[in-house]
Amino acid sequence: MSSWLDRLDRRFGRYVPPNLTLALIGLQGLSWFLDQLRPGFLDYISLDAAKVAQGQVWRLLTFVALPPTSTPIFLALALWWTHMMGTFLEREWGGVRYLAYWFVGIVGTAALSLGLGVPATNEYLLLSLLLAVATLDPDRQVMLLVIPMRLKWLAYVEVALLAWRSATLPGASKVFPLVALSNYLLFFGPGLWQALRTRQRKATQVVEAHRAAQEPAVTRQRVCATCGVTDEDRAVEFRVCTCERCGKPTNFCLPHVREHLAAAAAPAEPT
């Protein structure tokens, strides 16, 4: 998939308008403003499966423009956050890949909403921006109010909350967060799986190496083929004979190897 997107970017990247994230947060801010002027406006652009079935198909796309919150100060912070995450991805990926990321997320969210017959927001789409940036630059530090925090830790917290929310959703709705993040899973899932397998393999190698270092070395005991004395008696010297008579390397204590060699060298008696 990566090579395919790279080819698309080389061919069509120059046609993608810049500052897509700025346009997105502009639409979200405008939606909030219009809802202040005309309460209920957001209901007209939200993703409602029942109303889509009645022919209001624009909802399949306009739900992306829903503001993250209705409180002005938190809205400003949320839009700033979206702008920071989105512009990082635009800069790292280019317009084509960034659009593809949003497209997959929108399609996954809309398909699941229609399939389950439940409303949906752009919450998981915005979360997928954080997860993407945290995967690409996990040690990037941001100020969470007045607390500095690395993105990877913030992503871990969000994933934990996501898992808890999924577990508490009723029935088939439990799969909603997973499918809504289909863009993140499609773009990063194979790489994360490979990294996990590599980490597990390295951990196994470390454990096996540590276990081998703790085990005493096993040495093979030498035994004289004539008298049966072993190398446990450190006063006994051993030799290995490889003559034709033995046929294979054979251990002898020093006195018996001499007898063995003398017998091997003696001329055969006539019959």
Side-chain angles (χ1 to χ4, degrees):
M1 178 179 177
S2 180
S3 59
W4 178 68
L5 288 173
D6 289 338
R7 288 196 297 270
L8 285 179
D9 189 63
R10 287 193 297 269
R11 186 169 182 179
F12 302 107
R14 60 182 179 274
Y15 301 115
V16 178
N19 299 320
L20 293 171
T21 306
L22 188 61
L24 170 67
I25 64 174
L27 288 174
Q28 292 177 342
L30 178 62
S31 298
W32 176 86
F33 181 73
L34 292 176
D35 190 64
Q36 302 304 306
L37 294 179
R38 183 179 177 182
F41 172 78
L42 298 182
D43 294 334
Y44 190 68
I45 64 173
S46 62
L47 180 53
D48 188 324
K51 293 181 179 179
V52 170
Q54 296 173 4
Q56 299 180 15
V57 294
W58 64 82
R59 296 175 179 271
L60 296 174
L61 185 61
T62 56
F63 78 96
V64 178
L66 290 172
T69 179
S70 59
T71 306
I73 185 170
F74 291 117
L75 175 64
L77 290 173
L79 296 182
W80 166 79
W81 180 264
T82 301
H83 181 264
M84 182 173 60
M85 297 293 105
T87 51
F88 175 86
L89 291 178
E90 280 190 88
R91 184 171 61 252
E92 290 293 312
W93 281 347
V96 170
R97 189 182 295 263
Y98 186 60
L99 274 178
Y101 192 71
W102 272 100
F103 176 77
V104 173
I106 291 171
V107 170
T109 303
L112 193 60
S113 175
L114 295 178
L116 297 178
V118 296
T121 67
N122 56 10
E123 176 186 4
Y124 298 120
L125 289 174
L126 299 177
L127 175 59
S128 71
L129 296 182
L130 165 63
L131 298 181
V133 178
T135 304
L136 294 173
D137 190 7
D139 293 323
R140 182 184 181 92
Q141 196 172 70
V142 295
M143 294 297 296
L144 195 62
L145 297 180
V146 294
I147 304 174
M149 179 177 291
R150 297 188 187 277
L151 275 183
K152 62 181 179 181
W153 301 118
L154 185 59
Y156 291 151
V157 172
E158 289 289 350
V159 169
L161 292 174
L162 189 68
W164 176 80
R165 184 179 302 177
S166 178
T168 57
L169 287 173
S173 298
K174 293 181 180 296
V175 302
F176 200 103
L178 186 64
V179 178
L181 291 174
S182 56
N183 54 348
Y184 177 78
L185 297 176
L186 182 62
F187 275 66
F188 294 99
L192 292 175
W193 175 250
Q194 185 63 35
L196 179 61
R197 292 185 60 186
T198 301
R199 182 175 299 180
Q200 288 178 335
R201 185 167 57 251
K202 289 182 178 180
T204 301
Q205 292 172 350
V206 170
V207 171
E208 290 178 351
H210 179 72
R211 184 180 301 165
Q214 297 298 319
E215 293 177 352
V218 178
T219 57
R220 186 174 181 179
Q221 189 179 56
R222 292 188 292 180
V223 181
C224 176
T226 301
C227 66
V229 67
T230 68
D231 56 4
E232 290 182 357
D233 186 348
R234 298 187 179 275
V236 179
E237 295 186 33
F238 278 83
R239 298 291 185 271
V240 178
C241 179
T242 57
C243 69
E244 294 181 358
R245 184 180 177 185
C246 292
K248 62 179 181 179
T250 305
N251 290 307
F252 291 96
C253 63
L254 188 56
H256 287 124
V257 76
R258 290 171 179 167
E259 294 179 5
H260 172 73
L261 293 177
E269 297 181 358
T271 57

